[in-house]
Amino acid sequence: GISRNGCRLDFPEFNQDSNLTKHTNLPDLPACFQLSVLPWTPCIYLWLASPFYILYLKRNNRGYIMMSILNRIKTVLGLILWIVCWTDLFSSFHEMSQNQSKPPIYFITPLIVGMTMLLATFLIQYERLKGVQSSGVLFIFWTISVLCAIVLTMETALPANGVEDKLRFTTFYIYFGLTLIQLILSCFNEKPPLFSSVVTDPNACPEITAGFLSKMTFWWFTSMAIKGYKSPLENKDLWSLNKQDSSELVVPNLLNEWEVEKSKAQRYKFKQKMKIFISFHNHCHTGSIKKVVNEVLLSKRREVRQPSFLRALLRAFGPYFLIGSAFKLLQDLITFVNPQLLRLLIDFTKQPNAPLWWGYSLAFLMFGTSLLQTLILHQHFQYCFVTGMRLRSGIIGAIYRKALAITNEAKRSSTVGEVVNLMSVDAQRFMDLTTFLNMLWSAPLQIILALFFLWQNLGPSVLAGVALMVLLIPFNAFIAMKTRTYQVEQMKHKDDRIKLMNEILNGIKVLKLYAWEVSFKEKILQIRQKELTVLRKTAYLSALSTMAWTSAPFMVALTTFAVYVTVDEENVLDAEKAFVSLSLFNILRFPLNMLPQVISSIVQASVSLKRIQDFLSHDELNPESVDRRNNASGNGADVVNGTFSWAKQDQATLDNINVMVPQGSLLAVVGHVGCGKTSLVSALLGEMEKQEGQISIRGSVAYVPQQAWIQNATLRDNILFGRPYVEQRYRCVLEACALTPDLEVLPGGDQTEIGEKGINLSGGQRQRVSLARALYSEADVYLLDDPLSAVDAHVAKHIFDKVIGPEGALKGKTRILVTHGISFLPQVDNILVMVDGRVSEMGSYQDLLKQNGAFAEFLRNYSLEDIIEDDEFGCPISLCVSLLFCCRQISIMSNDLENPKKMSRRRRCSERKHPESPTEKKEPKLEKLIQAETAETGRVKFKVYWDYAKAVGPFLSLFICFLYGCQSAASIGANFWLSEWTNDAQHNRTQDQVSMRVGVYAALGISQGVLVMFSSFTLALGKIQAARKLHQTLLDNKFHTPQSFFDTTPIGRIINRFSKDIYVIDEVLPSTILMFLGTFFASLSTMIVIICSTPIFALVIGPLALIYFFVQRFYVATSRQLKRLESVSRSPIYSHFSETITGTSVIRAYGRNAAFVLMSDMKVDENQKSYYPGIVSNRWLGVRIELIGNCIVLFAALLAVIGKDKLSPGLVGLSVSYALQVTMSLNWMVRMTSDLESNIVAVERVKEYSETQTEAPWIVTDKQPPPDWPPKGNVEFADYSVRYREGLDLVLRNISLKVEGGEKIGIVGRTGAGKSSMTLCLFRLLEAADGEIVIDEVKISEIGLHDLRSKLTIIPQEPVLFSGTLRMNLDPFEKYSDEEVWKALELSHLKRFVSNQTSKLDLECSEGGENLSVGQRQLVCLARALLRKTRILVLDEATAAVDLETDDLIQSTIRTQFEDCTVFTIAHRLNTIMDYTRVLVLDKGQIAEFDTPTNLMAQKGIFYGMAKDAGLIV
């Protein structure tokens, strides 16, 4: 019972009683301890915490909460508790008055506890008034109180000789009951406070209202986990971002701190200057000039103090981050409690008569500390990740706002790509760093603590183990360095491969026509081979480092134990020492591995910091440089004595400019290229550095830049540009800008989504949209920078009349028009002529003509060109037809949408609006829009894993698993041996076997290391095998895919398979598998060890595994979808950003900065909205999985206590130290399963494109035609029909004709008549739907494609060249000698050009042959044809690309060189085919006329009409 002789304040009994305690069956703590330390613990905690807490509540008031029943009960209970405590106090006084002397502790304890209960009651009410819904402080207080009370209950439970002190017994139990009720009540939440603005959001994050317990265990996230498990998450399921994480709060906060930093730096500079000035002044009198100069130089060195972005970051995000650091500190300290408890537990099993309660309490203490560690660690992570997230928001916001304001000079120094990189890469680096940053002080702390405990345990022999650990660090560093160099090399190969692949896919049609696939496939495979070689080296290196990483802890343990046993005869290795040391070594492993990583990531982040700081310190445009207030002069725009340059230190681009534009007039600015017209417009917008003079503009501005800037939004949004939609006005604007006809052609009218940079509009359309935006904005001053150059003459005229001119929509507004079009000049009010950055003359058209100055000369130069231009538009219709034809080509080859280089041709056509069938243009586009890329949702099918295993090789896969099993077995063996060895200590047979024990232990451990290395090596072999196979099948299939596939699939999608997905298969997937196997076998071996030592543990595994499985399924389903949503919402941030940078001048001119900043913030928040649940899902998972791990620890310890008589201390140590490690493996295993699922998708996607339908075989062996086939070149179409793809209409219907060898046939017809289809049929790019083609008695449908295509030659309409040497472009298979190649070049008129080049035939062609002119490229195609010299030649005449001269060259060469061959020419210019043998006229896919040209002219049919249109008949 409670011993009466009580406690004098010097506690003498502590020492005597400690032995007594441990060995009785029931714990009997000394009375003094019961009465002082236990009740005081919670009180001390509350009194320490409450001042800080009250201060915090004072500052963060959330509005008060109404009195609720819950609150009333809590308060009443608090008061009752106070009364109960004081009852004790008064009973003590009562006893004293009856002369029973009491030790002072009986008065002090009730007094203190009573006061504390009053404080708690006060806090309950105070929290209510400040709007706290659930209190952490009080929850912890009640928890501690209950725990202490439980210990006391165990004391007073069964007093042997009845209850002596009835009153205290009752009060104590009342006290215990009430604190328990308070604890339970404090788990519940109060109602939200009144008048709070928190929950106006329909989809608010439940975290805001979550209680303390829910926040600690992340229980509030469960609803999303369940939702994600039932069906894939969508955007609408995501919670809104917490207010304090949104850009709206984070960015201004950071920017304010940054402004403070900048002003500090400014002040500092100013002070320095003052110092210099004063010292100069003083020394001038004394005359020591030299001294002054020195001082000035010194201070110059000091002066360059840049504002520090780091300080701004620390001030903005530091305080929040420090809370996380505090959690980390706590967690580090708790980590070391468990090894100490393990020591006590092993000690306990050694003593045969130790009481069981001691063992149980140890087991529960272990569980408790593990649990506490889990909760604290995840709180720390949560704080770190949220800091990282805010950092990213802040940095992106700051960079975006800066990018809108920087000068052109600054823009020049950092390209769009670099700035986007700042946003994506550098901001990301900071984000990653925040999670590790605490390791910088935590790792050394953990290392020091671990070493301290180890030293206590084993003495100086620890140093041997530590030395080994330190030696491993440079080894790992060396491997990391090598790996990095290999990675760089591999990136290079990968880029080369993708670049070549991109070219191949862009020119796939040409490769098929020439039958060149094999040679290009070889080229790709060569690069791939290099890539795989580097991969193999990297894999071997990583296998080495994996080995070092896995066997390090073991080697350390081995050296330490070996040294310990051999140093001194007296040293005995017992279970306590061995297993406690092992668990400490395991703690050491993590910080030692993390330190190098943290340091390298800090280095990277510091580089990023410097880049960001430099960018944020750029100069900004001065918004005051243009005076926007209404100027007195009444002019629309004035420039007085203006001198402007693009950068501060450049010489002036515009010099001494004086311009006055009267309100409402139209001023034209003309001059030669580069004379400063655009600069003048920029100066008026305030985009240039003003060196002197002043500018004023009256009212708002609208600006049309020379290169139209189009946003990636709908056409309507591009025109409205943030202004409200007014139907009437909008229609007028479209009409005036000639956009109405275009809307009919676009698939979605004005709701068509315009691609980035306006990729799916022609140049002219873009320019007109830009103009429409200006017109719709209804500004006062219009600055139009050459808006008419990109459009055709008649469109230009329409726009000038309807919009700009004296009768246009803008009449009465001030307009400044930069133009080259001379025809409009007579109609403008004033003309400003610029020469070399100066105004040379200004006045009306008539005045300037009379002056006969620069302007008159300008007119003379230009008018000639203008006349020619005009003539071209009255051009023959055949040209128009040809242009339409090229339009159609483009709409069929949807590739062009991806390839902006081909836009130029398209621009020419879409401007001429001829009646053409709109359906033809629309269909492919619509179809393309429909075929969206399929994203797999839900679980990955087992078949995909099997596919990968097959690619690795089924036997190899099994062998890898087998090796992993062996290595786990070896490690378990080594540890079992250790436990046997430690048991020697009990039986005192230690010394005799030391060398044998050490030897076997070493052998087992080293064999484990070797096995690890083997398994990593085999895995490396397997992964390279798989990477090679999967890429090979994908490549083979893509070369064998029919043309129609490439027409309907965007190239980007195919390239994606070759780059991203192959990269995942090469690098990401194998490492994920490695980690997965590692963690899986680690978890497995833990279970095996525990079951071996305490078989009953098997019963517990079932339920735990079930919980584990469920948590894992919930997590994987949810987190996979969150990752998808996050990556989908990430790209808009960057694309919007790069778009903004290219359009800054437009955005600033229209004054839309704020709106764009808001848009960017919304996009960032949208991304963080899916990122935040992603972080929390990891925390949620962590807490739950680690709880399972902690349960394993609990059961392992409990079972060890129960079976302590049967178990040796060695086995107990073994099973519990294994259990302590298991949480980490379990946690990683779930992550790895989830990563494995998201990465294995790459295999699925590659498989999908490796199994598309293929074209006919390249070579059919039993049907191979003779080598000299075709001898004559007769071609016969027999009842031939063809369609482009299944389900489309026939393009050619029942064509029958015979062509004799050596005939020259011209093919003509209107657009869409099927001319080009005929040639495609000859090459079997289109397979027959009906009928057949026979060439010299061989049916072409029966022979192999290469046999057929290599015997025909085509000179295609668009000359396609590949990057490589000229020689390779002419003869990729190297079949011909150099002389033959030179002969071909000579005949194709290229010899002079090539022989002038230094590298001759090895002249490097750049991608697409950009470094040759279009005409030269066409001649290269001719040279190809001359080299092949086959019996049948198809000439698809080039349309707009080639000048007439080149065209004549080609025609004459063909007439002479291909005299005896059969030639088919698709003609656009009829004069080329007037001397052909026969002409075939197609109409709607059928033969309309087929005869000699003269006969056809006589028939006066279709051909006659075409010739007449072409002006061949007068």
Side-chain angles (χ1 to χ4, degrees), residues 1377-1395:
S1377 65
D1378 278 8
E1379 291 80 62
E1380 292 175 287
V1381 176
W1382 277 111
K1383 182 93 175 43
L1385 284 174
E1386 186 181 350
L1387 291 170
S1388 58
H1389 312 274
L1390 273 172
K1391 187 170 181 181
R1392 209 175 86 230
F1393 166 71
V1394 178
S1395 46

Side-chain angles (χ1 to χ4, degrees), residues 126 170 351 391 395 769 820 1238 1272 1408:
Y126 191 66
T170 5
Q351 298 168 348
L391 248 166
I395 289 176
V769 170
H820 286 146
S1238 31
K1272 301 203 265 310

Side-chain angles (χ1 to χ4, degrees), residues 409-460:
E409 174 189 7
K411 227 191 236 174
R412 232 184 281 168
S413 66
S414 38
T415 60
V416 180
E418 277 172 26
V419 185
V420 172
N421 257 348
L422 281 184
M423 261 193 177
S424 51
V425 182
D426 296 330
Q428 193 63 42
R429 270 189 194 154
F430 270 100
M431 207 162 165
D432 298 341
L433 179 65
T434 47
T435 47
F436 293 139
L437 196 54
N438 281 319
M439 284 308 289
L440 199 58
W441 55 265
S442 150
L445 176 74
Q446 284 185 11
I447 292 171
I448 291 166
L449 281 172
L451 289 181
F452 168 71
F453 285 119
L454 278 167
W455 187 281
Q456 272 194 334
N457 218 357
L458 298 175

Side-chain angles (χ1 to χ4, degrees), residues 1129-1197:
S1129 65
R1130 190 182 314 145
S1131 41
I1133 301 179
Y1134 305 138
S1135 52
H1136 174 244
F1137 181 66
S1138 50
E1139 200 170 75
T1140 309
I1141 291 190
T1142 46
T1144 37
S1145 49
V1146 178
I1147 295 170
R1148 287 197 283 242
Y1150 287 97
R1152 303 269 307 144
N1153 298 28
F1156 271 79
V1157 165
L1158 249 166
M1159 262 157 74
S1160 169
D1161 282 356
M1162 267 172 55
K1163 287 185 160 60
V1164 173
D1165 285 351
E1166 196 55 39
N1167 177 240
Q1168 301 290 35
K1169 213 169 93 172
S1170 49
Y1171 175 73
Y1172 183 63
I1175 309 173
V1176 178
S1177 71
N1178 285 341
R1179 302 284 73 80
W1180 179 87
L1181 167 83
V1183 172
R1184 275 147 196 68
I1185 295 291
E1186 286 181 29
L1187 181 67
I1188 293 176
N1190 298 338
C1191 289
I1192 293 178
V1193 173
L1194 173 68
F1195 288 118

Side-chain angles (χ1 to χ4, degrees), residues 984-1044:
D984 287 354
Q986 272 185 309
H987 313 303
N988 293 330
R989 39 164 220 273
T990 46
Q991 283 344 92
D992 24 324
Q993 299 168 315
V994 167
S995 54
M996 188 264 292
R997 290 288 184 199
V998 174
V1000 174
Y1001 186 53
L1004 280 167
I1006 290 168
S1007 62
Q1008 180 205 352
V1010 173
L1011 281 166
V1012 170
M1013 198 161 108
F1014 261 128
S1015 54
S1016 307
F1017 272 138
T1018 41
L1019 191 64
L1021 286 175
K1023 84 171 188 186
I1024 285 173
Q1025 182 116 330
R1028 171 176 288 126
K1029 263 189 204 159
L1030 290 167
H1031 178 263
Q1032 179 92 30
T1033 49
L1034 177 65
L1035 193 68
D1036 281 350
N1037 180 281
K1038 277 298 133 282
F1039 273 120
H1040 279 282
T1041 306
Q1043 181 65 34
S1044 62

Side-chain angles (χ1 to χ4, degrees), residues 98 828 1390:
Q98 295 189 347
V828 303
L1390 273 172

Side-chain angles (χ1 to χ4, degrees), residues 1275 1277 1280 1317-1326 1333 1335 1340 1348 1352 1432 1434 1464:
V1275 179
F1277 283 75
Y1280 189 82
S1317 313
M1318 279 202 62
T1319 60
L1320 296 180
C1321 297
L1322 273 175
F1323 285 88
R1324 278 179 63 198
L1325 278 190
L1326 298 177
I1333 301 177
I1335 299 179
I1340 67 167
L1348 166 69
L1352 310 174
I1432 298 173
V1434 178
F1464 291 91

